[in-house]
Amino acid sequence: MRVAQRCDIYCRVVDNFGDIGVLWRLARQLGDEFGWRVRLVVDDLTAFHAIEPTINDKKPQQWCGKTEVFAWKCPPIGDFVDVVIEGFGCQLPQGVVGAIAAQHPKPLWLNLEYLSAENWVREHHLLPSQHPQLGMTKTFFFPGFVAGTGGLLRERVVQPPPPPIPMQAPLKVLLFAYDLPSSASVAKVLADSTRVAVVSVPTGALAKRLLAIRLPKLDVTAFVPQREFDALLTSFDLLLVRGEDSFIRAMWTGKPFVWQIYPQDDRAHWPKLEAFLDIYCVGLAAPAARSLRALWHLANGIQANPAASEPPACLWEDYLRHLPEIAAHAHRWTTAQMKKPDLASNLVAWVLRL
Ligand code: TRH
């Protein structure tokens, strides 16, 4: 059996914080829970600093807990490595590709893909791809919600959620969303609702937009370090989250949430959202599922039939009517997901089996 302990993870920040957010979690978990020696190579230390304030964005090489962090322009080359994880198809620096190809034995080379609930993910998970010149195989590792995929990032410390409690008091809502017109329209509906006490928005472009329109009940909050993010989420009743990492963390709270998916050109993200809704709504009664879908569509600026769509305030009122059912469903969904093996465990098991 091959015991992999030396792992290099490569991360290019395309946008925002999700790329580094996911790969930093994975790096930490592999080190803390599996005893791997992990090196994380990142092209944007400023984004990293935003979620992990102990990172010095001027230092090309530094330790952060058990992880050694390198700036992209000076990656570690020459040391023996067992596993190389390329984050989200980021393309390894040229010198690194040559170095790992020259190593004997060659490392396992994985590409960690973005999360999707689409059906094809199961068929593509763990598919190998042969490098045309180097005689090396890169394996595609797909996160996912169902058996046959790589699973979801979840550290051992994440506990099953407490049972939902009836929400009588006005709701505290977190809105961590993109700076889009759809986010502003959801924010307005929330702020106008007598059932909402506060709309909390992390500092950033959307907060600026909402401050500019003087949104009532708006509370602009400081960006917290990622290790405090779960605690932040659990302090709210309803979570509007985005991207990949905050979406999964909201899920682990077991609370009702709305997912604003990362927008892509040509609406490529729409089928991804629908694929998740299709699996998420299983077991939810049709009227509640319709209401949940309608609010998620509103948050994502999706209008299947603009002529037939109800005003945002009506969609919200309908959602509120179904909220007890939606909250119970969220708890059931999370409890079921937590019974599945997590992504890091799946990845380690696959590496050790080879
Ligand atoms: O920042 P994002 O929009 O990242 C996106 C997505 O990952 C998307 O899939 C990807 O294609 C794109 O980046 C490039 O949203 P996400 O994924 O939720 O990441 C936000 C991270 O920020 C997450 O790790 C939580 C962290 N965070 C904090 O640490 N503190 C905070 O106060 C907040 C609000 C977030």
Side-chain angles (χ1 to χ4, degrees), residues 171-199:
L171 305 173
K172 289 184 355 184
V173 183
L174 175 72
L175 178 61
F176 177 44
Y178 297 109
D179 180 26
L180 297 172
S182 60
S183 310
S185 77
V186 168
K188 279 188 211 135
V189 167
L190 294 170
D192 288 344
S193 168
T194 53
R195 285 286 312 275
V196 173
V198 63
V199 182

mmCIF file of all heavy atoms in Angstrom, residues 171-199:
data_model
loop_
_atom_site.group_PDB
_atom_site.id
_atom_site.type_symbol
_atom_site.label_atom_id
_atom_site.label_comp_id
_atom_site.label_asym_id
_atom_site.label_seq_id
_atom_site.Cartn_x
_atom_site.Cartn_y
_atom_site.Cartn_z
ATOM 1 N N LEU A 171 -37.013 37.557 11.570
ATOM 2 C CA LEU A 171 -35.847 36.770 11.138
ATOM 3 C C LEU A 171 -34.596 37.618 10.975
ATOM 4 O O LEU A 171 -34.648 38.739 10.471
ATOM 5 C CB LEU A 171 -36.155 36.122 9.778
ATOM 6 C CG LEU A 171 -37.415 35.268 9.689
ATOM 7 C CD1 LEU A 171 -37.650 34.849 8.244
ATOM 8 C CD2 LEU A 171 -37.280 34.044 10.579
ATOM 9 N N LYS A 172 -33.484 36.992 11.363
ATOM 10 C CA LYS A 172 -32.179 37.583 11.059
ATOM 11 C C LYS A 172 -31.675 36.907 9.789
ATOM 12 O O LYS A 172 -31.519 35.682 9.758
ATOM 13 C CB LYS A 172 -31.212 37.337 12.212
ATOM 14 C CG LYS A 172 -31.605 38.185 13.411
ATOM 15 C CD LYS A 172 -30.693 38.149 14.623
ATOM 16 C CE LYS A 172 -29.552 37.240 14.661
ATOM 17 N NZ LYS A 172 -28.772 37.165 15.858
ATOM 18 N N VAL A 173 -31.450 37.709 8.759
ATOM 19 C CA VAL A 173 -31.098 37.129 7.455
ATOM 20 C C VAL A 173 -29.684 37.545 7.070
ATOM 21 O O VAL A 173 -29.330 38.729 7.151
ATOM 22 C CB VAL A 173 -32.087 37.603 6.367
ATOM 23 C CG1 VAL A 173 -31.769 36.943 5.034
ATOM 24 C CG2 VAL A 173 -33.521 37.311 6.769
ATOM 25 N N LEU A 174 -28.892 36.561 6.644
ATOM 26 C CA LEU A 174 -27.569 36.872 6.086
ATOM 27 C C LEU A 174 -27.687 36.899 4.565
ATOM 28 O O LEU A 174 -28.225 35.967 3.964
ATOM 29 C CB LEU A 174 -26.539 35.803 6.484
ATOM 30 C CG LEU A 174 -25.166 36.001 5.836
ATOM 31 C CD1 LEU A 174 -24.421 37.187 6.447
ATOM 32 C CD2 LEU A 174 -24.296 34.752 5.933
ATOM 33 N N LEU A 175 -27.180 37.958 3.967
ATOM 34 C CA LEU A 175 -27.178 38.049 2.504
ATOM 35 C C LEU A 175 -25.729 38.169 2.037
ATOM 36 O O LEU A 175 -25.153 39.264 2.011
ATOM 37 C CB LEU A 175 -28.016 39.258 2.069
ATOM 38 C CG LEU A 175 -28.090 39.550 0.572
ATOM 39 C CD1 LEU A 175 -28.707 38.384 -0.197
ATOM 40 C CD2 LEU A 175 -28.902 40.814 0.302
ATOM 41 N N PHE A 176 -25.135 37.014 1.705
ATOM 42 C CA PHE A 176 -23.776 36.997 1.154
ATOM 43 C C PHE A 176 -23.950 36.635 -0.316
ATOM 44 O O PHE A 176 -24.037 35.466 -0.679
ATOM 45 C CB PHE A 176 -22.906 35.972 1.888
ATOM 46 C CG PHE A 176 -21.502 35.840 1.339
ATOM 47 C CD1 PHE A 176 -20.755 36.972 1.013
ATOM 48 C CD2 PHE A 176 -20.926 34.596 1.151
ATOM 49 C CE1 PHE A 176 -19.458 36.851 0.504
ATOM 50 C CE2 PHE A 176 -19.630 34.464 0.648
ATOM 51 C CZ PHE A 176 -18.902 35.591 0.320
ATOM 52 N N ALA A 177 -24.071 37.687 -1.138
ATOM 53 C CA ALA A 177 -24.472 37.465 -2.523
ATOM 54 C C ALA A 177 -23.616 38.328 -3.445
ATOM 55 O O ALA A 177 -22.839 39.169 -2.991
ATOM 56 C CB ALA A 177 -25.947 37.819 -2.684
ATOM 57 N N TYR A 178 -23.769 38.072 -4.747
ATOM 58 C CA TYR A 178 -23.015 38.853 -5.734
ATOM 59 C C TYR A 178 -23.667 40.225 -5.919
ATOM 60 O O TYR A 178 -24.852 40.407 -5.635
ATOM 61 C CB TYR A 178 -22.943 38.090 -7.063
ATOM 62 C CG TYR A 178 -22.181 36.788 -6.910
ATOM 63 C CD1 TYR A 178 -22.841 35.555 -6.966
ATOM 64 C CD2 TYR A 178 -20.814 36.801 -6.660
ATOM 65 C CE1 TYR A 178 -22.141 34.372 -6.797
ATOM 66 C CE2 TYR A 178 -20.106 35.622 -6.485
ATOM 67 C CZ TYR A 178 -20.776 34.409 -6.552
ATOM 68 O OH TYR A 178 -20.083 33.239 -6.360
ATOM 69 N N ASP A 179 -22.856 41.131 -6.446
ATOM 70 C CA ASP A 179 -23.350 42.483 -6.679
ATOM 71 C C ASP A 179 -24.165 42.497 -7.979
ATOM 72 O O ASP A 179 -23.675 42.917 -9.026
ATOM 73 C CB ASP A 179 -22.147 43.445 -6.757
ATOM 74 C CG ASP A 179 -22.592 44.863 -6.994
ATOM 75 O OD1 ASP A 179 -23.733 45.193 -6.625
ATOM 76 O OD2 ASP A 179 -21.790 45.644 -7.553
ATOM 77 N N LEU A 180 -25.378 41.981 -7.888
ATOM 78 C CA LEU A 180 -26.242 41.830 -9.068
ATOM 79 C C LEU A 180 -27.581 42.506 -8.795
ATOM 80 O O LEU A 180 -27.998 42.600 -7.629
ATOM 81 C CB LEU A 180 -26.527 40.342 -9.324
ATOM 82 C CG LEU A 180 -25.335 39.455 -9.660
ATOM 83 C CD1 LEU A 180 -25.768 37.995 -9.676
ATOM 84 C CD2 LEU A 180 -24.777 39.853 -11.030
ATOM 85 N N PRO A 181 -28.296 42.916 -9.839
ATOM 86 C CA PRO A 181 -29.636 43.474 -9.620
ATOM 87 C C PRO A 181 -30.544 42.501 -8.867
ATOM 88 O O PRO A 181 -31.348 42.914 -8.034
ATOM 89 C CB PRO A 181 -30.151 43.704 -11.054
ATOM 90 C CG PRO A 181 -28.913 43.831 -11.887
ATOM 91 C CD PRO A 181 -27.869 42.972 -11.245
ATOM 92 N N SER A 182 -30.399 41.201 -9.138
ATOM 93 C CA SER A 182 -31.264 40.226 -8.448
ATOM 94 C C SER A 182 -30.995 40.228 -6.940
ATOM 95 O O SER A 182 -31.919 40.033 -6.140
ATOM 96 C CB SER A 182 -31.082 38.823 -9.022
ATOM 97 O OG SER A 182 -29.744 38.401 -8.886
ATOM 98 N N SER A 183 -29.745 40.460 -6.544
ATOM 99 C CA SER A 183 -29.434 40.501 -5.099
ATOM 100 C C SER A 183 -30.120 41.709 -4.479
ATOM 101 O O SER A 183 -30.677 41.638 -3.378
ATOM 102 C CB SER A 183 -27.927 40.624 -4.869
ATOM 103 O OG SER A 183 -27.229 39.669 -5.614
ATOM 104 N N ALA A 184 -30.074 42.837 -5.202
ATOM 105 C CA ALA A 184 -30.697 44.052 -4.667
ATOM 106 C C ALA A 184 -32.204 43.866 -4.570
ATOM 107 O O ALA A 184 -32.827 44.305 -3.594
ATOM 108 C CB ALA A 184 -30.348 45.243 -5.557
ATOM 109 N N SER A 185 -32.794 43.166 -5.556
ATOM 110 C CA SER A 185 -34.253 43.042 -5.469
ATOM 111 C C SER A 185 -34.650 42.113 -4.322
ATOM 112 O O SER A 185 -35.628 42.371 -3.630
ATOM 113 C CB SER A 185 -34.880 42.705 -6.815
ATOM 114 O OG SER A 185 -34.729 41.428 -7.148
ATOM 115 N N VAL A 186 -33.862 41.074 -4.061
ATOM 116 C CA VAL A 186 -34.154 40.240 -2.894
ATOM 117 C C VAL A 186 -33.957 41.053 -1.617
ATOM 118 O O VAL A 186 -34.781 41.004 -0.692
ATOM 119 C CB VAL A 186 -33.248 38.983 -2.873
ATOM 120 C CG1 VAL A 186 -33.333 38.263 -1.547
ATOM 121 C CG2 VAL A 186 -33.641 38.037 -3.991
ATOM 122 N N ALA A 187 -32.893 41.832 -1.577
ATOM 123 C CA ALA A 187 -32.616 42.633 -0.378
ATOM 124 C C ALA A 187 -33.785 43.576 -0.080
ATOM 125 O O ALA A 187 -34.186 43.737 1.081
ATOM 126 C CB ALA A 187 -31.325 43.425 -0.571
ATOM 127 N N LYS A 188 -34.357 44.170 -1.126
ATOM 128 C CA LYS A 188 -35.472 45.116 -0.921
ATOM 129 C C LYS A 188 -36.686 44.396 -0.349
ATOM 130 O O LYS A 188 -37.345 44.878 0.565
ATOM 131 C CB LYS A 188 -35.840 45.771 -2.249
ATOM 132 C CG LYS A 188 -34.908 46.926 -2.593
ATOM 133 C CD LYS A 188 -35.431 47.680 -3.811
ATOM 134 C CE LYS A 188 -34.259 48.248 -4.587
ATOM 135 N NZ LYS A 188 -34.298 48.078 -6.010
ATOM 136 N N VAL A 189 -36.978 43.223 -0.924
ATOM 137 C CA VAL A 189 -38.129 42.457 -0.441
ATOM 138 C C VAL A 189 -37.942 42.101 1.027
ATOM 139 O O VAL A 189 -38.867 42.219 1.846
ATOM 140 C CB VAL A 189 -38.294 41.176 -1.303
ATOM 141 C CG1 VAL A 189 -39.254 40.211 -0.648
ATOM 142 C CG2 VAL A 189 -38.764 41.532 -2.692
ATOM 143 N N LEU A 190 -36.744 41.676 1.370
ATOM 144 C CA LEU A 190 -36.471 41.292 2.762
ATOM 145 C C LEU A 190 -36.628 42.507 3.680
ATOM 146 O O LEU A 190 -37.278 42.436 4.731
ATOM 147 C CB LEU A 190 -35.050 40.737 2.892
ATOM 148 C CG LEU A 190 -34.750 39.414 2.175
ATOM 149 C CD1 LEU A 190 -33.261 39.114 2.198
ATOM 150 C CD2 LEU A 190 -35.531 38.268 2.824
ATOM 151 N N ALA A 191 -36.038 43.608 3.266
ATOM 152 C CA ALA A 191 -36.046 44.799 4.115
ATOM 153 C C ALA A 191 -37.457 45.339 4.314
ATOM 154 O O ALA A 191 -37.768 45.916 5.361
ATOM 155 C CB ALA A 191 -35.145 45.874 3.500
ATOM 156 N N ASP A 192 -38.326 45.145 3.333
ATOM 157 C CA ASP A 192 -39.715 45.629 3.435
ATOM 158 C C ASP A 192 -40.609 44.700 4.245
ATOM 159 O O ASP A 192 -41.763 45.032 4.515
ATOM 160 C CB ASP A 192 -40.333 45.764 2.029
ATOM 161 C CG ASP A 192 -39.743 46.949 1.277
ATOM 162 O OD1 ASP A 192 -39.118 47.804 1.938
ATOM 163 O OD2 ASP A 192 -39.892 46.996 0.037
ATOM 164 N N SER A 193 -40.109 43.519 4.560
ATOM 165 C CA SER A 193 -40.961 42.517 5.198
ATOM 166 C C SER A 193 -41.021 42.727 6.714
ATOM 167 O O SER A 193 -39.987 42.894 7.365
ATOM 168 C CB SER A 193 -40.398 41.123 4.891
ATOM 169 O OG SER A 193 -41.024 40.159 5.693
ATOM 170 N N THR A 194 -42.243 42.655 7.265
ATOM 171 C CA THR A 194 -42.369 42.788 8.730
ATOM 172 C C THR A 194 -41.782 41.566 9.431
ATOM 173 O O THR A 194 -41.513 41.606 10.622
ATOM 174 C CB THR A 194 -43.849 42.913 9.140
ATOM 175 O OG1 THR A 194 -44.554 41.806 8.563
ATOM 176 C CG2 THR A 194 -44.435 44.230 8.649
ATOM 177 N N ARG A 195 -41.600 40.478 8.705
ATOM 178 C CA ARG A 195 -41.039 39.258 9.323
ATOM 179 C C ARG A 195 -39.515 39.278 9.383
ATOM 180 O O ARG A 195 -38.889 38.338 9.861
ATOM 181 C CB ARG A 195 -41.482 38.018 8.513
ATOM 182 C CG ARG A 195 -42.927 37.605 8.706
ATOM 183 C CD ARG A 195 -43.200 36.922 10.047
ATOM 184 N NE ARG A 195 -42.270 35.864 10.403
ATOM 185 C CZ ARG A 195 -42.374 34.610 10.012
ATOM 186 N NH1 ARG A 195 -43.365 34.240 9.234
ATOM 187 N NH2 ARG A 195 -41.499 33.699 10.403
ATOM 188 N N VAL A 196 -38.879 40.319 8.850
ATOM 189 C CA VAL A 196 -37.411 40.371 8.848
ATOM 190 C C VAL A 196 -36.931 41.466 9.792
ATOM 191 O O VAL A 196 -37.375 42.615 9.711
ATOM 192 C CB VAL A 196 -36.869 40.603 7.414
ATOM 193 C CG1 VAL A 196 -35.362 40.839 7.423
ATOM 194 C CG2 VAL A 196 -37.210 39.406 6.526
ATOM 195 N N ALA A 197 -36.009 41.087 10.698
ATOM 196 C CA ALA A 197 -35.467 42.071 11.649
ATOM 197 C C ALA A 197 -34.264 42.785 11.058
ATOM 198 O O ALA A 197 -34.112 43.995 11.208
ATOM 199 C CB ALA A 197 -35.065 41.359 12.932
ATOM 200 N N VAL A 198 -33.398 42.018 10.404
ATOM 201 C CA VAL A 198 -32.150 42.608 9.916
ATOM 202 C C VAL A 198 -31.679 41.871 8.667
ATOM 203 O O VAL A 198 -31.886 40.662 8.533
ATOM 204 C CB VAL A 198 -31.061 42.574 11.030
ATOM 205 C CG1 VAL A 198 -30.700 41.151 11.420
ATOM 206 C CG2 VAL A 198 -29.814 43.335 10.643
ATOM 207 N N VAL A 199 -31.112 42.635 7.744
ATOM 208 C CA VAL A 199 -30.481 42.040 6.550
ATOM 209 C C VAL A 199 -28.985 42.329 6.680
ATOM 210 O O VAL A 199 -28.543 43.460 6.503
ATOM 211 C CB VAL A 199 -31.036 42.647 5.244
ATOM 212 C CG1 VAL A 199 -30.407 41.967 4.033
ATOM 213 C CG2 VAL A 199 -32.548 42.567 5.195
#
